[in-house]
Amino acid sequence: MKSLILIGFMGTGKTTLGKELAKRLQLPLVDLDTVIVQEQQMEIGEIFVRFGEETFRQMEHEVLCRYAAQPNLIISPGGGAVLRAENRAVMREHCFVISLLAQPQIILERVNQERTVRPVLEQREPGQSKLERIEQVLEQRMPCYREADLLLDTSHCPVEQLANQVITWLKEQTGEAL
């Protein structure tokens, strides 16, 4: 089976749903940011500071290309992976692309519960709140997220229900019992 790739903004549930799908479908979950951190031996935020966003995006592209062509994976890229047209093309060519969406306030609540540094949220204009920054970046990325094969709103939906929706959709796409 083609791999599944879960795209979406930070805090939309890519990792959470990815873990649930990996468990249910008995497939490996590959978090591309984790791969980059392991390979570079530094956190994403440090890569942004030391080398800049463009260098990080190139690393992200290389890792995406390496994993997207492999079958039978659940892949979770960072929220900005969709910014490059070549990334979206690789995703569409090799994977079932599932876009996770959530309301900005829900995203803010979720990311505030984490200890992870989010470089995109740190790049705020003076006086700009985190919520305003989320809304701004979401508006820029939404056309890319909407190119997916399947769109799911995770704002108020339990992960088990989301996994059921994905599995039902996959059965329709593949004609296989999963």
Side-chain angles (χ1 to χ4, degrees):
M1 178 179 81
K2 290 195 318 187
S3 289
L4 297 176
I5 191 158
L6 304 174
I7 64 170
F9 196 70
M10 68 182 81
T12 57
K14 295 182 301 289
T15 301
T16 303
L17 179 57
K19 288 177 181 176
E20 182 69 17
L21 288 169
K23 182 177 76 176
R24 291 215 205 163
L25 298 172
Q26 299 181 339
L27 297 173
L29 172 63
V30 179
D31 182 304
L32 298 186
D33 281 354
T34 300
V35 172
I36 293 168
V37 167
Q38 290 170 345
E39 290 180 357
Q40 299 300 315
Q41 296 293 299
M42 67 181 80
E43 296 298 319
I44 301 297
E46 188 178 348
I47 295 170
F48 266 68
V49 169
R50 289 182 65 187
F51 303 108
E53 183 174 358
E54 185 54 37
T55 297
F56 170 75
R57 295 295 174 202
Q58 184 58 38
M59 292 174 187
E60 182 177 58
H61 175 71
E62 291 166 8
V63 171
L64 171 66
C65 289
R66 193 176 342 140
Y67 284 97
Q70 297 179 37
N72 300 311
L73 297 175
I74 310 290
I75 302 171
S76 177
V82 299
L83 294 172
R84 286 186 165 190
E86 60 266 32
N87 286 352
R88 295 191 309 274
V90 166
M91 291 176 197
R92 276 192 307 275
E93 180 181 350
H94 297 290
C95 303
F96 291 113
V97 183
I98 300 169
S99 184
L100 306 184
L101 308 171
Q103 298 163 0
Q105 184 61 44
I106 300 291
I107 291 171
L108 179 62
E109 290 168 13
R110 290 175 182 170
V111 298
N112 279 342
Q113 293 173 5
E114 302 172 354
R115 293 188 186 148
T116 307
V117 174
R118 303 292 191 154
V120 170
L121 291 185
E122 301 308 315
Q123 298 171 344
R124 296 191 309 267
E125 298 166 16
Q128 185 181 41
S129 71
K130 281 186 179 180
L131 181 60
E132 291 168 332
R133 178 67 176 154
I134 289 168
E135 291 168 340
Q136 176 188 36
V137 177
L138 267 177
E139 184 178 328
Q140 294 166 349
R141 294 182 184 177
M142 194 57 70
C144 300
Y145 293 146
R146 292 201 181 280
E147 289 180 17
D149 300 313
L150 176 66
L151 283 77
L152 296 173
D153 187 337
T154 68
S155 298
H156 302 289
C157 194
V159 69
E160 298 81 11
Q161 186 177 341
L162 292 166
N164 288 340
Q165 290 176 23
V166 170
I167 291 168
T168 298
W169 179 83
L170 268 178
K171 287 178 184 176
E172 293 170 1
Q173 302 306 304
T174 64
E176 297 177 26
L178 303 173

